[in-house]
Amino acid sequence: MTRLRTSAAAICSVVLAVASWRLAELPASSDAERAHVAERFAFQREPLNGAAGARSVRVVAPAFQKIDHWISSVGAGVALADLDGNGRADDACLVDPRDDSVTLRPVPGTGTRYPVAALAPAGLPYDATMAPMGCVPSDYNEDGRTDVLVYYWGRSPVVFLRSGAGAQVSAGAFTPRELVSPYQVWSTNALTLADVDTDGHVDIVVGNYFPDRARVLDPRAHQQELRMQRSMSDAHNGGTDRVLLFRSAGGDTVSYAEAKGAFAPEVADGWTLALGAQDLDGDGRPELYMGNDFGPDRLLRNLSTPGKVRLELMRGVRHFGTPKSKVVGADSFKGMGVVFSDLNGDEVPDMFVSNITENYALHESNFAFLSTRQKPLGDDGVAHYDDESESLGVSRSGWGWDVKAGDFAGDGDVQLVQATGFIQGTVDRWPQLQELALTNDDLLANPANWPRLRPGDDLSGHDTNPFWARGADGRFHDVAERLGVEDPGPTRSIALADVDHDGRLDFAVANQWRQSYSYRNVRTAQRPYLGLTLLRPASCAAGGTAGGAARTAAVGATATLRSGAAGLRVGQVYPANGHGGVSSPELLFGLSGTGAAAVTLTWRDACGARHSADTTLTPGWHSLALGADGSIEKVTP
C-alpha cells in the first residue's frame, strides 16, 4: 500500500509539473493570425558588406584563451545618418568585427554617391590590442556637420571630426581626436547621447564592460583586471560608467570633461551592455537607463542643473505575484538592449528591455515596463512601471541584444525589432553554461573556472530576430519569418531611418562574424505621414533667431501631435539608445488623414533655456530650425 501511495504521488508530481509548464507557455499564434498581422509590412533585403570574413574569433589575453569564443561575442555595430549633407539619413556607419573595420558607405539602393571610406585613428595610439565596438554619428563640435564617434575595447573613444569644405565623404574628410586625453584603457560596449546637465549642449554617457585598464585583447597581458563577473545576478566589479560633459568646441577641436561622481559606486561598476536616455516625467531632463549584464539594471531620475550632474536611483513597485526580477531596478537578469516607446497609449514613454529568454536554458524574460501613472517617477524614489511582457506576448525571444521600436506600417501603431543570438557553432554548450550559472559566486571571477567556449561551440547561435507587430487581440505577434527579416544567427545591433524620405521606415542590422544587411521598407500601402528633422542653432547669442548660426540636431527635442495623429502621438530625439545600433536623429509619425497636423515642439537652446511652441504642418517631411527665442523656421536641407 505504501508503495502504491508513493507511485501515485510521483505520478501526480509529474502531471502537475507538466501542467505548470504548459500553463507557463505563451499562447501560440495561428498561421492565419500571423498572416493577417504581416499583411501591413514588406521589406527588401540588401547586403551592407561582403559575405566572406577574414576571421571568426579574436586574439585574447592568456587568461581568456579558454573562453575566447565568449570574449569574441560582441563588436558588430551599425548607425544610419546623413553624412554627406543631402538631407536624408541614407548613409551607414558599419563596424565589422571580421576585420575590425569602421566604414562609411551609402545605404544600398540610394546611389553610389561616394566610395566606401574607412575610419582609423591615424596619429593616435592604436594597435592590435584595440578593437572598435560601435560608431555614433552626431555633430560633436557644433559646426553643423555630422562627425563620427567610435568606441572601442582597449582604449577610450575617438571623435572623428568632419573637416574640409566639400560634402564628399572620405577617410580624409574626418580628423581623429581623443575624447579623453591622455587616452585610457576602457572596454566600452554602449554609448548614448543626451544633454544630461541641461546646459544646452549634448553630453556623452559611456557604458563600460570589463574593468578599467584590462587589456582584454592583448596576448601578452597578465593583469589582475583580467577577470570575469563576481556573480551571475549581482555583479558590481565591471568597468566604470561615465558621464562626459560638453565643455567647448572650435574648428577641429572639441572638449569634454568627466562629471566625477555622477554615478554612485553601486551604479557605476556594473557590466554595462546597453544605455538609454529619455525624458520620462516631462521636466525636460533626460532620465538614464543602464542595461547591465550579470546584475540589476539601473533607472536614474535626472535632477541635474548646468554643470552639476545629479542622478537619483529609482526602483519599481513589487505587487503581490510580481517576481522580484521583474521589478524596475531589482532584476538579476542580463540586460542587453533598451528602447523607449509609448506601448500603452497614455503618451508616457514605456521601456522595453532585452534579456536572455532561451527555452530550456537561462529562461529569464524580456521586460515591457509600462507606465502606470502620468508622472511615473515619484519624489520618493519609486518608478511606477509594471512589466507586462507576458500579456503583450514579447517576454520570450532568445538571447536578446539591441532592440528598436518604430511604426513600419505607417498606421500609428508601434512595432518592435530585436537582435538575438550569441555564439554560433556545432557543439551545444548550454549544459555547461547552466552548470556555470549555478556555480558558487566566489569562483566565477576566475576565467579558469569557466567551461570551454572555443570556436565550434554554440550558445543560442541560431536564434532568429523577432519582428513583433500588434494584432487585433492587443498582443504582439512575431511575423519575422513571414516577412523574411528573421536573419538566423548572432545579430547585435539595429538602426532605424527613413533613408529616402518616402514616409516608410527602413532599418539595418549588424551581424556578428557574418554579413550585415539593410532592409528597405517596400510596403505597397502609402499613407499620409509627418517626418521631422529638428535642428537648433549651435549659438544662442546672435538675436536668438533660428537663422544665423550653424544648425545641429536637436537631441532631446520632443514633438507632440495634437491633431492628425494616426495613433502614436509623442516622439523624442534620442538616436543612440540601445546596444550598438544608432538610428537617425529624426521623427516619423503616421497621420490619420491628408489634412495638416497641429504639433507642439519642445526643446532647449544652446544656452540651456527651454522652449515650447506650436506649429501646423502639412503631411510629408519637414526640416525645422528651433530658435533660442522660441521661433520655428522651415529650412531647406
Side-chain angles (χ1 to χ4, degrees):
M1 184 64 70
T2 301
R3 185 175 298 173
L4 288 174
R5 290 196 191 100
T6 302
S7 299
I11 292 171
C12 287
S13 298
V14 171
V15 170
L16 286 171
V18 172
S20 298
W21 172 67
R22 295 296 297 177
L23 286 172
E25 286 189 299
L26 286 174
S29 304
S30 69
D31 287 341
E33 190 170 26
R34 288 194 298 272
H36 178 68
V37 171
E39 287 175 351
R40 298 179 290 159
F41 312 99
F43 296 95
Q44 178 180 316
R45 185 174 85 158
E46 298 184 71
L48 273 174
N49 55 1
R55 58 177 185 170
S56 60
V57 70
R58 298 188 186 279
V59 175
V60 301
F64 296 135
Q65 189 169 2
K66 180 183 178 182
I67 57 172
D68 59 354
H69 206 186
W70 181 295
I71 300 299
S72 303
S73 62
V74 292
V78 64
L80 296 175
D82 179 9
L83 297 174
D84 62 359
N86 67 355
R88 297 183 297 275
D90 52 5
D91 305 296
C93 179
L94 183 68
V95 181
D96 189 342
R98 297 178 299 178
D99 57 5
D100 283 340
S101 62
V102 180
T103 54
L104 310 178
R105 60 186 70 210
V107 173
T110 64
T112 307
R113 290 170 282 117
Y114 54 88
V116 173
L119 296 182
L124 303 182
Y126 192 76
D127 58 31
T129 70
M130 306 168 185
M133 294 287 139
C135 56
V136 186
S138 190
D139 182 10
Y140 292 95
N141 60 352
E142 300 185 342
D143 66 352
R145 297 180 292 181
T146 303
D147 315 301
V148 179
L149 181 149
V150 180
Y151 56 90
Y152 305 84
W153 277 12
R155 70 163 356 266
S156 45
V158 173
V159 181
F160 292 83
L161 297 177
R162 186 65 188 267
S163 54
Q168 182 72 16
V169 175
S170 66
F174 293 85
T175 302
R177 292 286 184 263
E178 294 284 10
L179 184 64
V180 177
S181 187
Y183 87 95
Q184 300 178 24
V185 178
W186 297 348
S187 297
T188 305
N189 266 132
L191 187 146
T192 197
L193 305 176
D195 182 4
V196 177
D197 69 344
T198 69
D199 68 346
H201 301 277
V202 177
D203 308 309
I204 300 171
V205 186
V206 180
N208 290 322
Y209 194 72
F210 284 99
D212 295 355
R213 299 178 296 280
R215 300 198 305 274
V216 177
L217 305 181
D218 187 346
R220 302 160 298 174
H222 296 273
Q223 305 171 273
Q224 67 174 17
E225 289 86 3
L226 295 171
R227 59 181 184 265
M228 299 299 290
Q229 75 279 9
R230 289 202 185 103
S231 169
M232 274 287 188
S233 59
D234 196 27
H236 304 280
N237 64 323
T240 300
D241 296 337
R242 293 169 167 85
V243 175
L244 304 179
L245 298 177
F246 177 91
R247 283 293 175 254
S248 63
D252 62 351
T253 64
V254 65
S255 175
Y256 292 84
E258 181 178 350
K260 298 289 186 181
F263 300 122
E266 67 271 19
V267 173
D269 296 333
W271 295 70
T272 302
L273 285 174
L275 287 171
Q278 196 85 170
D279 181 5
L280 299 179
D281 54 10
D283 67 353
R285 292 176 288 201
E287 276 65 53
L288 299 178
Y289 191 99
M290 307 166 75
N292 291 326
D293 207 354
F294 313 124
D297 293 353
R298 303 297 192 181
L299 176 60
L300 301 169
R301 182 186 184 190
N302 193 346
L303 301 171
S304 303
T305 53
K308 183 177 181 180
V309 176
R310 182 185 166 202
L311 301 168
E312 178 187 11
L313 182 62
M314 306 297 289
R315 191 174 177 119
V317 178
R318 186 179 183 186
H319 308 288
F320 180 78
T322 305
K324 177 183 176 183
S325 273
K326 281 177 157 281
V327 176
V328 170
D331 70 286
S332 58
F333 293 166
K334 319 294 181 293
M336 288 172 282
V338 60
V339 67
F340 301 88
S341 187
D342 181 9
L343 298 176
N344 59 357
D346 64 355
E347 299 186 13
V348 177
D350 304 307
M351 301 174 285
F352 182 95
V353 182
S354 291
N355 290 301
I356 298 177
T357 66
E358 198 66 62
N359 285 328
Y360 314 110
L362 291 183
H363 211 162
E364 300 173 345
S365 173
N366 296 318
F367 298 137
F369 287 125
L370 304 189
S371 57
T372 61
R373 296 186 182 184
Q374 284 298 113
K375 294 291 185 181
L377 304 182
D379 293 334
D380 55 358
V382 174
H384 295 279
Y385 285 91
D386 290 342
D387 175 47
E388 298 292 346
S389 57
E390 284 280 324
S391 61
L392 288 177
V394 294
S395 61
R396 312 176 202 182
S397 53
W399 192 307
W401 289 92
D402 202 10
V403 61
K404 294 293 187 285
D407 178 7
F408 293 93
D411 58 6
D413 202 3
V414 66
Q415 294 81 49
L416 297 164
V417 189
Q418 187 185 31
T420 63
F422 189 49
I423 56 176
Q424 193 171 67
T426 58
V427 181
D428 185 5
R429 291 296 179 186
W430 263 114
Q432 289 79 9
L433 186 58
Q434 293 279 43
E435 290 181 356
L436 181 71
L438 300 173
T439 298
N440 188 309
D441 282 356
D442 292 337
L443 301 177
L444 277 173
N446 185 353
N449 296 326
W450 282 51
R452 174 190 183 276
L453 292 164
R454 303 295 311 274
D457 296 327
D458 185 277
L459 286 169
S460 303
H462 299 83
D463 284 351
T464 58
N465 298 335
F467 185 100
W468 278 304
R470 205 186 306 255
D473 58 357
R475 293 174 59 81
F476 285 86
H477 303 271
D478 180 11
V479 294
E481 186 175 0
R482 286 189 169 272
L483 300 177
V485 301
E486 72 275 26
D487 201 1
T491 301
R492 291 295 169 267
S493 308
I494 302 172
L496 309 184
D498 178 3
V499 299
D500 49 8
H501 277 193
D502 66 353
R504 294 178 287 192
L505 189 62
D506 314 296
F507 69 102
V509 300
N511 291 324
Q512 187 72 17
W513 303 118
R514 58 197 188 97
Q515 193 168 34
S516 298
Y517 297 95
S518 71
Y519 290 89
R520 180 67 67 86
N521 192 331
V522 293
R523 71 168 195 264
T524 55
Q526 181 60 284
R527 299 184 174 91
Y529 66 90
L530 181 66
L532 299 176
T533 302
L534 302 179
L535 308 169
R536 67 162 181 80
S539 170
C540 60
T545 61
R551 299 182 180 113
T552 184
V555 173
T558 298
T560 304
L561 272 65
R562 294 183 289 107
S563 70
L568 192 66
R569 296 176 57 87
V570 182
Q572 299 184 28
V573 183
Y574 288 102
N577 291 341
H579 172 92
V582 180
S583 299
S584 66
E586 300 174 320
L587 300 175
L588 181 63
F589 299 92
L591 297 179
S592 58
T594 58
V599 183
T600 297
L601 300 175
T602 305
W603 71 95
R604 287 191 187 275
D605 63 33
C607 289
R610 195 177 182 211
H611 304 275
S612 182
D614 297 331
T615 187
T616 301
L617 300 170
T618 57
W621 271 98
H622 298 270
S623 185
L624 305 176
L626 310 177
D629 59 354
S631 63
I632 299 173
E633 176 187 346
K634 296 182 181 180
V635 297
T636 301

